[in-house]
Amino acid sequence: MNFIRNYSVKLGVISSLPIGYYFYQENLQNSRIKKYSYQEISQHNSSKKGIWVTHKNKVYDITNFIESHPGGIDKIMLAAGNPLEPYWNYYKQPQKKEVYDILDSMEIGVIEDYNPDKFKNLKDEYIQEPIRSPELKFHSAKPCNAETPIDEIHKNPITPNDLWYIRNHNPVPIIKPEDYELDFFINTKFINKFTLEDLKKMKSKKVITTIQCGGNRRGEFDKTSGTQWGIGAISTAEWEGIPLCNLLENYNAKYIHFEGYDGVKSSIPFKKGRNCFGDVLVAYKMNGVELPRDHGYPVRIIVPGYVGIKNIKWLKKITLSNEEVDGPWQRGMAYKILPGSIRCLEDVSKIDLDKIDTIEELPIQSCITHIEEIQENINNKNFRIHGYTYSSKPMIFPRVDVSIDGGKTWKIAGVNPHFEDLLKFKWGWALWSVDVKIDDTPCDIICMASDKGTVQPSDIKDIWNIRGLANNSVHKKLLEKV
Ligand SMILES: Nc1nc2c(c(=O)[nH]1)N[C@H]1C(S)=C(S)[C@@H](COP(=O)(O)O)O[C@H]1N2
Ligand SMILES: [Mo]
């Protein structure tokens, strides 16, 4: 039909051939008759169901066109099932006539419940998102929330940058290195500013840290709000940057606030940043290269041992203050572990959130990441169980015990052979493995970390909290039939 349409447009307009013109008219009239609702259009967002977009009141089926879209498939797929206005508005300049001509040939109807004001001034702020590895486990694209692939963790004590988990609250800011500026304030008073060049000239340090999102393993809780993370909202890198303590030598305060270019803010106690053993970094490199955009380009703060949200990306401003920073990530319920008796928002409204501290360190953790079938070895073992364990405390690597009989007997895990230099991982996780003999499948495998009296809780119900934070209950993984 498209072919006929294109052809007949030419014929109809240029040579006025009666037959071509007839087809053109008929096609136009048919397509005008078809009406689709916004709801119906939004469902056409995959090659399976067809990819539709709208412009003004018209609906277009662009399924066969996307492969050849000059801007790339990923860009046009952002608009799948949606109006084009927010994307075109983003680029500001008007579209060329050819673009309308191409679209015209794909018109399939009009919007039934068309509202001209709905998208007129809307901009899709996500159009410039970075390209991401398809190996990540995506929970959402706008904003991007994605886990590191857990099957790979045992091979990678340092998570490769493209496999790092991503936790964004907003579109990734676009920051040109030459425009970058980090401001330093005491309360509301401006003290100093640093360009990227200034920062790179200062004495730097490298620190390996694991960052774990406060919501890691939220998905295992019953009914909580927020991204339903599995065990992959955790990753490890070597960061390079300026020790924050070097910038704070002459100052004193109670708190240090960090604010990102996307408006996300959090604060930490002054003593964590001022103490050079706290290893807080104003970081501009991740695993030897400049920070990827998703992870804070060009500069982020790294707060070893503290929950993910403290590690503010796209760092815009550091403020010293005697008060905690305001905003939901510090003072709201987002990172406060409320008692299990608080079951709904109405319960939350009855308590004084100011009296409850926000998370800094997270409790000891361990998870099973991979079950590997191995050649029966001399000890008669046929499976190797892999996992990670993480303590927020420096130089602490919890002991991990593994059970394959529902917790009756336990076997202590050893250091994963890929994981050679534990000492470099002062603020990092430790990867462990243990060989076991399993004859009957399916089999539940359990791991439990402990450190001198602190153990992972065995019942997840005991640590339930409305925001689903800090889940460190003993981890189970099922070995299915082999
Ligand atoms: N500016 C800014 N910083 C941020 C966030 C954000 O959305 N904006 N997310 C925080 C959260 S909740 C986590 S868990 C970590 C995730 O860091 P990553 O995306 O590099 O893994 O960044 C933190 N820093
Ligand atoms: Mo997070």
Side-chain angles (χ1 to χ4, degrees):
M1 209 56 168
N2 282 345
F3 167 72
I4 297 175
R5 175 79 194 280
N6 277 336
Y7 192 52
S8 43
V9 169
K10 280 190 196 124
L11 292 177
V13 175
I14 298 165
S15 64
S16 300
L17 247 180
I19 297 171
Y21 194 60
Y22 170 76
F23 275 122
Y24 172 57
Q25 283 299 324
E26 188 196 52
N27 190 5
L28 206 65
Q29 265 163 18
N30 281 344
S31 69
R32 286 271 155 76
I33 295 166
K34 289 240 165 169
K35 290 185 171 170
Y36 306 99
S37 66
Y38 280 118
Q39 160 68 15
E40 198 177 348
I41 296 160
S42 69
Q43 286 165 6
H44 289 84
N45 59 0
S46 64
S47 14
K48 217 166 154 195
K49 289 188 181 160
I51 294 160
W52 294 6
V53 295
T54 67
H55 184 245
K56 301 232 168 94
N57 68 332
K58 292 184 182 161
V59 184
Y60 306 97
D61 180 344
I62 61 165
T63 319
N64 297 326
F65 167 71
I66 55 157
E67 295 283 339
S68 57
H69 180 242
I73 296 178
D74 57 321
K75 285 281 138 57
I76 197 151
M77 279 305 285
L78 286 170
N82 290 312
L84 286 166
E85 280 86 340
Y87 305 93
W88 287 0
N89 288 345
Y90 190 92
Y91 288 117
K92 293 186 193 90
Q93 81 269 36
Q95 295 293 328
K96 297 197 187 94
K97 184 180 171 294
E98 293 94 278
V99 176
Y100 291 106
D101 286 348
I102 296 170
L103 265 186
D104 270 346
S105 71
M106 299 183 283
E107 186 183 332
I108 54 166
V110 294
I111 305 173
E112 195 169 38
D113 44 353
Y114 178 58
N115 171 359
D117 295 328
K118 203 169 169 181
F119 298 101
K120 208 168 89 192
N121 296 317
L122 202 79
K123 283 187 195 153
D124 189 312
E125 304 292 342
Y126 288 93
I127 199 161
Q128 304 264 42
E129 292 284 279
I131 308 254
R132 294 160 177 141
S133 168
E135 286 176 59
L136 294 170
K137 186 180 153 201
F138 287 89
H139 289 274
S140 65
K142 303 180 187 183
C144 182
N145 284 301
E147 294 183 35
T148 190
I150 56 164
D151 286 342
E152 300 289 314
I153 287 178
H154 67 288
K155 296 183 208 152
N156 296 313
I158 297 280
T159 317
N161 288 356
D162 62 331
L163 300 184
W164 248 74
Y165 85 96
I166 300 169
R167 200 293 179 238
N168 294 341
H169 288 80
N170 297 295
V172 175
I174 297 160
I175 304 172
K176 289 200 200 121
E178 62 273 21
D179 297 341
Y180 177 75
E181 192 179 300
L182 169 61
D183 291 333
F184 181 56
F185 276 72
I186 297 182
N187 299 314
T188 51
K189 191 167 159 239
F190 171 82
I191 304 293
N192 204 350
K193 67 173 187 204
F194 305 93
T195 64
L196 193 54
E197 232 175 281
D198 295 336
L199 293 173
K200 286 186 175 168
K201 278 187 202 139
M202 295 177 184
K203 194 168 171 248
S204 74
K205 180 174 176 176
K206 291 177 184 167
V207 176
I208 293 177
T209 73
T210 290
I211 301 181
Q212 181 178 209
C213 179
N216 192 28
R217 303 182 61 195
R218 176 182 288 131
E220 294 168 51
F221 283 121
D222 192 26
K223 294 191 200 84
T224 56
S225 63
T227 303
Q228 297 296 300
W229 297 107
I231 65 170
I234 183 168
S235 299
T236 300
E238 181 198 70
W239 309 93
E240 182 176 347
I242 299 112
L244 183 64
C245 62
N246 293 355
L247 303 178
L248 299 182
E249 264 166 12
N250 305 317
Y251 301 101
N252 200 358
K254 282 195 182 145
Y255 297 98
I256 310 170
H257 302 180
F258 304 120
E259 185 180 332
Y261 273 90
D262 62 343
V264 173
K265 304 185 249 187
S266 68
S267 57
I268 61 167
F270 180 79
K271 61 177 195 301
K272 170 71 178 168
R274 176 65 187 83
N275 180 343
C276 288
F277 296 109
D279 285 332
V280 178
L281 289 186
V282 179
Y284 51 80
K285 276 191 174 180
M286 178 180 187
N287 294 332
V289 296
E290 49 188 32
L291 300 182
R293 283 185 58 214
D294 267 322
H295 302 290
Y297 182 81
V299 176
R300 85 183 290 176
I301 205 84
I302 291 296
V303 186
Y306 277 30
V307 61
I309 186 65
K310 304 299 182 186
N311 299 263
I312 291 293
K313 306 190 271 191
W314 315 293
L315 185 65
K316 182 182 183 200
K317 191 172 164 190
I318 298 177
T319 307
L320 303 185
S321 167
N322 286 334
E323 308 289 336
E324 286 185 276
V325 77
D326 55 15
W329 306 281
Q330 185 71 29
R331 299 206 194 189
M333 64 185 282
Y335 293 98
K336 293 191 176 185
I337 302 175
L338 305 183
S341 56
I342 292 172
R343 308 300 297 189
C344 60
L345 286 178
E346 202 199 327
D347 295 345
V348 177
S349 69
K350 289 181 193 145
I351 57 167
D352 184 356
L353 278 178
D354 282 344
K355 298 229 161 72
I356 297 172
D357 286 333
T358 193
I359 302 173
E360 286 170 0
E361 295 178 338
L362 286 163
I364 59 166
Q365 180 72 284
S366 79
C367 288
I368 300 161
T369 54
H370 185 65
I371 303 172
E372 183 186 2
E373 197 168 0
I374 52 171
Q375 286 277 332
E376 281 212 7
N377 58 19
I378 29 168
N379 297 322
N380 204 22
K381 302 293 178 352
N382 58 352
F383 284 96
R384 183 164 295 158
I385 317 295
H386 293 276
Y388 65 75
T389 181
Y390 172 64
S391 162
S392 292
K393 302 254 184 286
M395 274 330 199
I396 299 294
F397 306 100
R399 181 182 112 182
V400 175
D401 291 86
V402 173
S403 175
I404 55 168
D405 57 11
K408 277 189 227 116
T409 60
W410 296 86
K411 208 176 158 196
I412 193 163
V415 180
N416 164 336
H418 288 277
F419 197 83
E420 293 144 5
D421 199 349
L422 218 55
L423 298 188
K424 279 199 206 149
F425 284 70
K426 176 177 172 189
W427 297 101
W429 58 16
L431 302 186
W432 53 265
S433 66
V434 63
D435 293 353
V436 293
K437 171 85 172 142
I438 297 174
D439 294 318
D440 296 325
T441 53
C443 172
D444 248 334
I445 301 169
I446 314 174
C447 75
M448 178 177 66
S450 57
D451 181 53
K452 298 173 194 149
T454 313
V455 291
Q456 280 181 270
S458 53
D459 193 343
I460 188 169
K461 292 199 193 86
D462 293 341
I463 53 168
W464 188 92
N465 61 95
I466 188 165
R467 284 309 324 274
L469 295 163
N471 179 14
N472 74 327
S473 58
V474 292
H475 186 239
K476 286 194 189 89
K477 194 172 170 92
L478 184 70
L479 171 61
E480 310 219 26
K481 258 200 153 40
V482 281

